[in-house]
Amino acid sequence: LFNDADIVLGAHGAGLSNLIYCEDATVIELFGKKVKPNYATLADTVGLAYHSMNCTPSGVDLIVNTDHLGKMVEAIE
């Protein structure tokens, strides 16, 4: 799935380590309280465009501003 993706959107976490399988994708990483550069560095290493978005944490979940996210995706396409 990652190999064929045009856009990979996901919350910061171990699942984004699969970015190593992307060939030509744009990454949008969602953050809560803690912002870490791990996957920005990985994206840069494998030559992927990278964007991040800060979200409002709610327990273990994130509240995503879908209007802002939609504008990010439209700008990529």
Side-chain angles (χ1 to χ4, degrees):
L1 291 174
F2 278 73
N3 185 263
D4 291 331
D6 293 322
I7 298 174
V8 174
L9 167 67
H12 176 81
L16 289 177
S17 61
N18 289 306
L19 293 174
I20 62 170
Y21 299 109
C22 292
E23 288 190 13
D24 184 27
T26 298
V27 180
I28 302 174
E29 183 175 12
L30 306 176
F31 287 103
K33 290 180 186 176
K34 297 180 181 179
V35 176
K36 296 184 178 182
N38 308 49
Y39 300 108
T41 302
L42 178 58
D44 183 57
T45 300
V46 296
L48 305 176
Y50 175 88
H51 305 275
S52 64
M53 182 175 158
N54 292 325
C55 303
T56 304
S58 177
V60 296
D61 297 322
L62 297 174
I63 298 172
V64 179
N65 179 331
T66 55
D67 291 331
H68 184 237
L69 179 59
K71 289 176 185 174
M72 288 180 75
V73 172
E74 287 176 6
I76 293 166
E77 295 178 334

